[in-house]
Amino acid sequence: MESIRHNKRIIISVLLLFVFTSHGCIQQADITPDSTEYIFNYTPYSSTAYYITEDGVETVHVIHNATQLDLTYMTSASSRSNFGMSNIVAVNRENTANSYSYTISSRVIKGRKHVFIKFPPSTDFVAYTEKLEGNTLTREIKGDNQIKVRLLQDYTTGSRFLGMPIPKPDKMYEDDSGRMIMEWNGSNIKGFSVKYYKRSAPIILTCFFAILAVAAMLVLTYYRLKIQVLRKKREGK
């Protein structure tokens, strides 16, 4: 009897391990989320706004007729603890100061990690913060959400040499604070990538190439003069 009980415990442990590895771990809401750091702009349609900061990106989803978000990442990008997210909040537009409870889980499907955030039906916004590796924001898009990306102040994009937003945004403008904003109609794209850099970077790059061009001309002129001198010496002999 004792051996049967022992074997039963082993079987139960294996089954539990299988469940957690196949469906991903489940996590409850942050203990002390802070919704005050986010910008909540309600739209009458589903939309997603990405506010790039010095430390990463703050993402705000406007929710309509949904109780779950399905976010897709490359497995390497989401292998960090807490699914690579922090300060996750789910709020109603009438009371953005207090976050609802939510659950978050993940599964690897066809080599990509899907992160699922479940929240109450009365949720209007779901927001979270993520780290960015380098000065590039790349995301896959599901559905026909309106997409907006706001860059840091004094940053820009659009240079053929330093990087352009892909695909080309439907709108590209600056807000009142001088920050560059890009917008896409989500029904027309499956994803986007934005490479951003300091506004001074294109000017610096142009100056760098100009200096290289001048240096190349000086070197070429020097060798031409030297060749002419050598030819004259040979002719003199």
Side-chain angles (χ1 to χ4, degrees):
M1 288 294 292
E2 189 65 30
S3 61
I4 294 175
R5 290 178 182 175
H6 180 69
N7 291 335
K8 188 181 292 185
R9 289 173 184 171
I10 294 175
I11 293 172
I12 292 173
S13 299
V14 171
L15 288 174
L16 288 173
L17 180 62
F18 173 77
V19 169
F20 278 103
T21 54
S22 60
H23 289 81
C25 52
I26 297 176
Q27 181 174 308
Q28 297 297 323
D30 290 344
I31 298 175
T32 56
D34 180 15
S35 61
T36 59
E37 72 174 59
Y38 297 116
I39 300 173
F40 296 114
N41 288 327
Y42 186 76
T43 57
Y45 45 82
S46 298
S47 62
T48 305
Y50 300 89
Y51 301 95
I52 296 176
T53 67
E54 292 182 358
D55 299 324
V57 58
E58 296 174 353
T59 303
V60 180
H61 298 270
V62 177
I63 306 299
H64 285 276
N65 303 318
T67 58
Q68 175 178 280
L69 283 177
D70 178 3
L71 310 172
T72 307
Y73 298 87
M74 296 298 291
T75 53
S76 59
S78 57
S79 59
R80 300 183 294 273
S81 61
N82 198 25
F83 308 100
M85 301 175 181
S86 62
N87 196 30
I88 306 171
V89 298
V91 298
N92 183 276
R93 65 181 184 273
E94 301 296 334
N95 184 13
T96 59
N98 296 315
S99 176
Y100 292 129
S101 295
Y102 64 85
T103 59
I104 179 170
S105 60
S106 69
R107 290 181 61 187
V108 176
I109 303 174
K110 295 182 179 180
R112 296 180 179 271
K113 177 166 281 189
H114 290 250
V115 176
F116 302 96
I117 304 177
K118 294 184 179 181
F119 40 83
S122 56
T123 300
D124 291 320
F125 299 99
V126 173
Y128 48 85
T129 300
E130 297 172 286
K131 294 289 185 181
L132 287 180
E133 297 178 1
N135 287 7
T136 303
L137 174 65
T138 302
R139 291 291 183 269
E140 291 188 6
I141 302 300
K142 291 184 178 180
D144 55 356
N145 290 10
Q146 196 78 11
I147 306 300
K148 181 174 77 172
V149 175
R150 191 186 76 171
L151 301 184
L152 281 161
Q153 197 162 14
D154 297 326
Y155 277 74
T156 188
T157 186
S159 168
R160 293 183 180 275
F161 295 103
L162 297 175
M164 302 178 66
I166 301 173
K168 182 180 179 181
D170 297 317
K171 293 182 181 179
M172 199 167 178
Y173 58 94
E174 291 185 359
D175 63 9
D176 295 336
S177 64
R179 291 180 172 88
M180 180 169 286
I181 293 178
M182 289 151 281
E183 294 183 0
W184 290 268
N185 183 349
S187 61
N188 298 330
I189 62 174
K190 294 183 179 180
F192 69 89
S193 179
V194 176
K195 177 78 173 179
Y196 56 97
Y197 30 81
K198 284 280 191 179
R199 290 184 186 273
S200 58
I203 299 174
I204 294 173
L205 184 64
T206 301
C207 293
F208 175 73
F209 281 123
I211 292 171
L212 282 180
V214 171
M217 290 179 63
L218 290 174
V219 171
L220 183 61
T221 302
Y222 169 78
Y223 278 107
R224 281 182 176 177
L225 291 173
K226 197 167 186 179
I227 290 172
Q228 289 177 1
V229 171
L230 291 173
R231 283 179 178 174
K232 288 181 179 180
K233 286 183 178 180
R234 289 177 181 176
E235 291 174 357
K237 291 181 179 180

